[in-house]
Amino acid sequence: MSTRSTHTINAIIETLLQIANRVIVVSSEGEIVQFKDRVGSEAHLAVINNTVVAERYCAAINECLTSRKSEQSRYSVVQGDTVYIYRINVLPAGPEMEDGIFLVISFHAAKRAGKVTEDYWKLAMDAAGDGMWDVNIPEQTISFSDKWQQTFGYDKDQIIHLVSWTGFIHPEDRQRVVQDRDDFFAGKVKNYNSEFRLLCADGTYKWVLSRGMIVARHSDGTPLRFVGTHTDISQLKEAEEKYYSAAQLLSRLVNNLRDGILVVDEHKKILFANQVYCDIYNIADHPSALNDMDVYKSIAARMHHYKDSQGFYDRTVQLLNLHEMVLDEEWEMVDGRIVGRDYIPLVLGKNRKGGIWKFRDVTAQKSYEKQLASLRNFYEQILNHIAADIVVFDQQLRYIFINPTAVKDKELREWMIGKTDEDYVKLRNKPRELVERRQRIFYEALEKKHNIEWEEMLINRDGNPEYHLRNHYPVFDEYGKHLMSIGYGLNITDRVRAQQELKTSRDTFASAFNDSGIGMALISHEGMWLDANPVLCSLTGYTNDELRIRSLHDITHPDDVALDREYMVRMLSGEITTYNVEKRFIARTGKVMLVSLTMSLVRDTEGLPKFFIVQAIDITDKKEMEQELRNKNAELEQTRLNLLSKVNQLEELSHIIAHNLRGPAGNIRMLSDTLLEQHERAATGGDTNDVFTQEEGLTLIRDSSRALMNNLATLMQVTEIKLGKDIPFDECNVSELVADISDQLKGSIVEKQAQIITDTGVPVIFYPRMYLYNILYNLVSNALKYSVPGLIPEIRIVTDMKEGRVRLIVKDNGLGIDLERFGDKVFRLNQVFHEGYESKGVGLYLTRTTVESLGGKIEVTSAPGEGCEFIVTF
């Protein structure tokens, strides 16, 4: 800087000091080169030193250096009972200062008493961010500036107490904010700064930066007043969150790439490496450990992994120096892996150049390519040995593959690769019609997107005709784009000649079978119809031409095809020479007919199969009459079985009637005998200790008679059911049924003083009433009949549900049954297990029959002297 410039700058400084307290001169590089204070300002300026100014207003200084525009700001400092307000102006200088700046600082001070004065509030609020707060610690109260209330939407005095204000802090931040304040009060941290979410009056949260200081202390040092500002940093937090999310996403993307990534700066230092890069080189350290490493040292440390280590090092250095893009380089490593790499130059900033290296393990890819080449060679060898013409065309109908069968001349075959049929006919002087016909087929196949088949006749080198069956098959990718076309040709000369010879044979046989009264035909040994006489055509509904394009199996019922195949194979193998079967033909109209088919095989002089001779006779009507006769016989047999069933049902019904009437009749007889005995004893003056009075006896006889009549009505209903009527289902009240049965068996119950206990967990059972009545009657009467002499019978009747089915359980304390002896005979007809009792062994048989007739089952558990338990599952 010249002497003249120095004088000019000093003059400017002196002028500025007339209105300011300090002037600082900053160079265009941002360095403080000179500063000067106005006389008498040193003590006040000591409160704000150069470091504070530089840190707080660094951004303003840089902005002025860049934009050359002036900046103005304020800064406040509280010291004791004085508030210092500093105004700082940043002014761009002229050329005489080589584009530096002047930092001009002025201040004024305001005194405050024991409480904050109005001037202090105004100055503090002017210096605050988005509002000021003041905490009276002893009183635990808090006050806010107008600007704070406007920022967060609260009314004046809406928040007074510190405890209530703490409740407006987000619950997740509350404990941390209190801890930050306590740490500051305890002197653990120098400055109070805390970030948290504060609830606004509209119910939303804002991120707040809270900064504060203790402005008054008690004589013992305890804080009395805590003052600070709140600044809304919600946008900053949102930006940080977006930046963090974007950075995290970018980091995940890079770290999840399948390629190893290495970023290098202009100083050839590593800026970034991902995990895949470390995996390729077996680096155990975290990728961040490579940051700031010299890339040349890194190359030297990795070069031993490569077979040509020096070549790898030299080439890498060359690429770094050239700073040019290189793609798909491949290097073989000593462990057999192959690594591919790319180098992409980058511009990182102004005059800053770097680059990205991408590394990938291509070992599997190279192995796959070798396998693919091997596989292609394998299939080419197969195609070259197939006895058929196979060629492949590209989209322009140029040959890209020809097998030796299609073109035997190797030299000509190699010449044709990349050529078209048009080139070939010109070379061989062939008619152009061949090319035009193939081109039409090519474009037709492309348009229809499916295979086209046709036959061609060619003249071979010997001048003889050859017949070829051609197929042209277009190949498309998944998007419908045409990739190639495959041509397939088969020499069918022998087949055509055979057909010609066969035609001659047909002419020979024509007069023999055309006038036959049965259907006759000739079939090739492949099963194709060759010729058919009018009778067979009439039988099937097909013309001769229609049959010729079909096989024997085409008009055979699908269920009979396998039968034909078996016999035809046996004839072709020589096992049999002829066979006759009854099978079904399907006529052209869809009618199914039954035919008697006789087939024999005709062979040539060498014993090779030539064709089959078929004779077919329609036996549909005959079989229908036979079937009708069988149906009639079956109907007669069913009628016979139904009659037998009715007879068996009537026989079973007679047993039911005899069994169910025996009890009531016996009960009436027993009551009558008892009354007569009592009457005789009374007439002779004997013992008058009667079982019951005459009136009671007559009442019991009347009740038994009514029960007998009800039983007869029930049996009449059973008779109707057994004779074929539908069985109605009823909602049967179990308790009512038990009461009815108890009335009917009252004589035995009274005589034996029996106890009948019911536990109806299922009170109503949906079942034919007459059937359920018979089941209960048989089981209860048996329990009474086979009771232990001298022991009061106890009969327990229970209904419940098990596994979704209703059960009826009848348990007694009677004689029981020896199941080891009679277990398989319990429910058989006419089985008696106790001697000396009037029994015919019918009751349990009828009970089981009744239960099983409606899909249920009955089981018994018993032992001699322990009673029986019958379980009926409906």
Side-chain angles (χ1 to χ4, degrees):
M1 186 178 295
S2 65
T3 302
R4 182 179 177 182
S5 297
T6 303
H7 287 307
T8 302
I9 294 172
N10 289 334
I12 294 173
I13 293 174
E14 291 300 328
T15 301
L16 291 173
L17 287 175
Q18 298 301 313
I19 60 173
N21 299 91
R22 171 175 288 177
V23 176
I24 301 174
V25 182
V26 181
S27 70
S28 59
E29 287 78 19
E31 298 178 354
I32 298 176
V33 297
Q34 187 176 356
F35 75 91
K36 189 172 183 180
D37 296 336
R38 190 168 68 184
V39 177
S41 302
E42 292 83 355
H44 301 295
L45 290 169
V47 178
I48 174 170
N49 54 44
N50 293 336
T51 303
V52 174
V53 174
E55 289 177 353
R56 185 167 181 81
Y57 298 102
C58 182
I61 294 171
N62 288 334
E63 179 64 25
C64 184
L65 286 172
T66 303
S67 66
R68 308 303 299 168
K69 295 180 180 179
S70 61
E71 297 283 341
Q72 183 177 3
S73 58
R74 291 183 179 184
Y75 185 72
S76 63
V77 176
V78 178
Q79 188 176 41
D81 60 351
T82 304
V83 178
Y84 296 89
I85 305 299
Y86 293 88
R87 290 180 174 81
I88 302 176
N89 293 275
V90 184
L91 306 173
E96 67 279 355
M97 215 187 99
E98 299 178 355
D99 297 330
I101 62 172
F102 291 100
L103 197 63
V104 182
I105 306 173
S106 60
F107 74 91
H108 71 273
K111 291 288 185 176
R112 65 189 180 99
K115 63 177 182 178
V116 179
T117 65
E118 184 178 349
D119 289 340
Y120 168 73
W121 275 104
K122 184 180 296 184
L123 294 173
M125 289 168 61
D126 287 341
D130 290 310
M132 185 175 178
W133 47 265
D134 181 14
V135 178
N136 187 321
I137 298 175
E139 296 179 5
Q140 288 293 292
T141 59
I142 186 169
S143 60
F144 300 96
S145 65
D146 293 341
K147 189 175 182 180
W148 189 94
Q149 293 166 355
Q150 293 172 0
T151 300
F152 299 102
Y154 291 103
D155 297 332
K156 186 177 181 180
D157 298 333
Q158 188 174 351
I159 304 175
I160 297 176
H161 298 287
L162 185 60
V163 173
S164 61
W165 175 81
T166 305
F168 289 90
I169 300 173
H170 194 284
E172 295 178 1
D173 304 335
R174 194 172 298 151
Q175 184 176 355
R176 177 172 49 78
V177 173
V178 173
Q179 186 64 46
D180 290 344
R181 183 193 62 193
D182 293 345
D183 290 346
F184 177 65
F185 284 178
K188 295 181 180 180
V189 294
K190 185 177 181 181
N191 299 312
Y192 173 72
N193 292 283
S194 185
E195 294 181 0
F196 55 88
R197 287 163 286 181
L198 183 63
L199 180 65
C200 299
D202 61 2
T204 62
Y205 280 94
K206 286 186 177 181
W207 274 99
V208 172
L209 170 61
S210 180
R211 291 178 290 193
M213 62 185 297
I214 300 171
V215 297
R217 292 182 181 270
H218 195 271
S219 58
D220 61 359
T222 305
L224 297 175
R225 189 167 293 275
F226 186 32
V227 179
T229 61
H230 283 166
T231 302
D232 183 358
I233 59 171
S234 299
Q235 293 183 351
L236 176 61
K237 282 291 184 179
E238 184 179 353
E240 287 179 354
E241 182 64 27
K242 290 180 180 179
Y243 172 79
Y244 178 77
S245 298
Q248 288 291 99
L249 177 61
L250 181 61
S251 176
R252 285 196 298 269
L253 288 174
V254 173
N255 282 314
N256 285 290
L257 289 175
R258 295 183 178 180
D259 295 344
I261 302 295
L262 187 71
V263 183
V264 181
D265 66 11
E266 73 275 15
H267 302 299
K268 306 300 184 289
K269 298 289 186 180
I270 296 176
L271 292 177
F272 174 81
N274 69 352
Q275 186 60 48
V276 178
Y277 174 82
C278 296
D279 293 341
I280 290 176
Y281 290 106
N282 300 320
I283 300 173
D285 295 333
H286 190 272
S288 60
L290 301 178
N291 293 352
D292 206 36
M293 180 183 291
D294 183 85
V295 72
Y296 295 109
K297 291 183 180 179
S298 177
I299 298 169
R302 315 289 172 233
M303 60 187 290
H304 70 277
H305 289 283
Y306 294 92
K307 286 188 176 181
D308 184 6
S309 57
Q310 190 60 45
F312 172 79
Y313 180 85
D314 294 342
R315 176 58 175 164
T316 306
V317 172
Q318 180 187 24
L319 293 179
L320 288 170
N321 293 333
L322 291 176
H323 203 65
E324 294 178 352
M325 181 183 292
V326 175
L327 302 175
D328 298 325
E329 275 195 357
E330 293 178 358
W331 294 86
E332 187 175 358
M333 304 182 81
V334 295
D335 61 2
R337 290 181 295 160
I338 301 174
V339 174
R341 70 175 184 178
D342 305 330
Y343 177 69
I344 304 171
L346 291 178
V347 177
L348 302 175
K350 186 177 180 181
N351 299 322
R352 296 180 62 196
K353 295 183 178 180
I356 292 181
W357 291 93
K358 290 175 59 180
F359 298 84
R360 56 197 171 276
D361 188 340
V362 297
T363 310
Q365 176 186 340
K366 289 298 174 182
S367 174
Y368 175 75
E369 289 174 356
K370 289 181 181 179
Q371 292 177 5
L372 188 61
S374 175
L375 191 62
R376 176 174 178 172
N377 180 65
F378 171 75
Y379 284 119
E380 283 188 358
Q381 290 297 320
I382 293 176
L383 295 176
N384 287 337
H385 289 84
I386 292 177
D389 303 342
I390 300 176
V391 298
V392 182
F393 302 93
D394 65 11
Q395 297 93 328
Q396 285 76 40
L397 269 178
R398 294 181 296 227
Y399 288 97
I400 57 177
F401 174 79
I402 306 172
N403 77 340
T405 305
V407 177
K408 296 179 176 59
D409 189 328
K410 181 180 179 181
E411 184 177 348
L412 175 61
R413 189 167 64 249
E414 292 175 351
W415 176 88
M416 289 179 65
I417 299 299
K419 305 293 192 306
T420 65
D421 280 328
E422 192 166 354
D423 298 324
Y424 174 74
V425 297
K426 288 179 181 178
L427 177 69
R428 291 294 189 177
N429 196 25
K430 297 283 186 179
R432 180 169 174 75
E433 289 79 6
L434 177 66
V435 177
E436 294 174 350
R437 181 171 69 253
R438 290 185 176 180
Q439 286 180 344
R440 285 196 303 270
I441 293 171
F442 173 82
Y443 291 116
E444 181 184 356
L446 281 183
E447 180 181 357
K448 296 182 178 179
K449 292 188 176 183
H450 66 68
N451 178 60
I452 301 293
E453 182 179 282
W454 76 101
E455 291 186 8
E456 279 185 347
M457 193 276 286
L458 302 176
I459 304 300
N460 61 20
R461 293 183 177 181
D462 299 329
N464 297 320
E466 286 187 354
Y467 299 92
H468 292 262
L469 179 65
R470 303 290 190 192
N471 283 270
H472 188 92
Y473 183 79
V475 179
F476 301 88
D477 65 11
E478 58 182 337
Y479 304 105
K481 180 182 177 182
H482 177 230
L483 300 177
M484 68 184 77
S485 295
I486 300 174
Y488 174 84
L490 186 65
N491 190 327
I492 58 171
T493 304
D494 292 341
R495 191 180 79 180
V496 172
R497 288 175 180 170
Q499 290 174 342
Q500 292 172 347
E501 293 176 0
L502 190 58
K503 185 177 180 303
T504 302
S505 299
R506 286 204 305 270
D507 292 341
T508 303
F509 285 101
S511 58
F513 70 86
N514 279 343
D515 298 328
S516 175
I518 62 174
M520 296 185 65
L522 303 179
I523 296 179
S524 70
H525 61 274
E526 293 95 351
M528 300 298 295
W529 294 98
L530 301 176
D531 199 3
N533 70 352
V535 176
L536 187 63
C537 291
S538 176
L539 179 68
T540 62
Y542 291 102
T543 66
N544 224 334
D545 291 336
E546 289 172 336
L547 283 174
R548 288 193 185 103
I549 61 174
R550 288 171 171 78
S551 68
L552 174 63
H553 304 320
D554 290 338
I555 68 170
T556 299
H557 192 281
D559 294 344
D560 298 338
V561 170
L563 186 63
D564 274 332
R565 285 177 177 164
E566 178 187 354
Y567 283 119
M568 292 174 72
V569 169
R570 293 176 63 187
M571 281 199 296
L572 290 171
S573 66
E575 183 180 346
I576 59 176
T577 58
T578 185
Y579 74 89
N580 175 264
V581 294
E582 292 182 358
K583 58 177 289 184
R584 289 163 291 181
F585 273 174
I586 301 177
R588 193 171 188 271
T589 60
K591 177 185 176 182
V592 178
M593 65 193 74
L594 188 65
V595 298
S596 174
L597 185 75
T598 302
M599 183 179 289
S600 58
L601 178 63
V602 176
R603 299 177 180 271
D604 61 15
T605 55
E606 297 179 358
L608 299 177
K610 291 190 66 176
F611 53 83
F612 294 101
I613 299 177
V614 175
Q615 296 178 339
I617 301 173
D618 185 358
I619 59 173
T620 305
D621 293 340
K622 175 186 175 184
K623 287 297 179 180
E624 288 178 352
M625 287 188 292
E626 292 177 353
Q627 183 62 39
E628 184 177 358
L629 181 60
R630 284 192 294 269
N631 292 341
K632 293 298 183 181
N633 290 335
E635 291 177 4
L636 290 173
E637 177 63 18
Q638 186 60 44
T639 301
R640 185 183 69 84
L641 293 175
N642 289 340
L643 289 174
L644 287 176
S645 175
K646 294 297 182 182
V647 170
N648 291 334
Q649 290 177 7
L650 290 173
E651 182 180 352
E652 179 182 338
L653 181 60
S654 67
H655 287 293
I656 292 175
I657 293 172
H659 181 270
N660 287 5
L661 294 184
R662 184 183 301 114
N667 196 35
I668 293 172
R669 185 183 64 184
M670 183 271 295
L671 292 171
S672 301
D673 292 344
T674 302
L675 285 174
L676 289 174
E677 289 175 2
Q678 292 180 174
H679 179 71
E680 291 174 356
R681 285 198 303 271
T684 57
D687 184 11
T688 59
N689 187 17
D690 297 336
V691 177
F692 41 73
T693 66
Q694 182 176 0
E695 183 179 353
E696 289 175 342
L698 293 175
T699 300
L700 291 175
I701 292 173
R702 182 194 62 192
D703 292 341
S704 295
S705 300
R706 288 176 179 175
L708 178 60
M709 294 303 295
N710 290 336
N711 201 11
L712 286 172
T714 299
L715 291 173
M716 290 299 296
Q717 193 173 2
V718 170
T719 303
E720 293 178 355
I721 294 172
K722 288 292 185 178
L723 290 177
K725 294 188 178 181
D726 293 334
I727 302 173
F729 277 68
D730 306 296
E731 292 184 354
C732 302
N733 188 297
V734 178
S735 297
E736 292 179 357
L737 286 176
V738 172
D740 290 347
I741 293 170
S742 297
D743 287 343
Q744 188 168 345
L745 298 174
K746 197 161 188 177
S748 297
I749 293 173
V750 171
E751 179 185 7
K752 297 188 177 185
Q753 300 180 354
Q755 297 180 6
I756 299 179
I757 304 168
T758 60
D759 180 9
T760 55
V762 180
V764 177
I765 299 177
F766 191 66
Y767 205 72
R769 179 180 177 84
M770 66 199 74
Y771 279 14
L772 186 57
Y773 182 92
N774 288 336
I775 293 169
L776 268 171
Y777 181 89
N778 286 333
L779 296 178
V780 173
S781 63
N782 280 352
L784 290 170
K785 180 186 297 184
Y786 299 110
S787 60
V788 177
L791 179 65
I792 296 176
E794 182 179 290
I795 304 170
R796 185 175 297 273
I797 302 173
V798 179
T799 59
D800 63 10
M801 292 283 292
K802 184 175 182 181
E803 297 178 357
R805 299 183 70 177
V806 178
R807 297 193 310 168
L808 170 65
I809 303 170
V810 179
K811 185 176 182 180
D812 62 57
N813 60 346
L815 295 174
I817 301 173
D818 188 351
L819 294 182
E820 291 185 1
R821 292 180 57 194
F822 306 113
D824 59 338
K825 301 177 181 179
V826 173
F827 297 106
R828 290 185 182 180
L829 186 62
N830 298 326
Q831 297 296 318
V832 178
F833 311 116
H834 301 287
E835 299 294 335
Y837 291 85
E838 185 180 354
S839 174
K840 295 185 178 181
V842 177
L844 289 179
Y845 166 75
L846 293 179
T847 301
R848 186 196 67 177
T849 302
T850 302
V851 171
E852 292 180 351
S853 68
L854 293 180
K857 66 177 180 178
I858 183 169
E859 302 169 288
V860 61
T861 57
S862 181
E866 296 182 6
C868 296
E869 182 181 43
F870 290 90
I871 301 174
V872 179
T873 303
F874 297 102

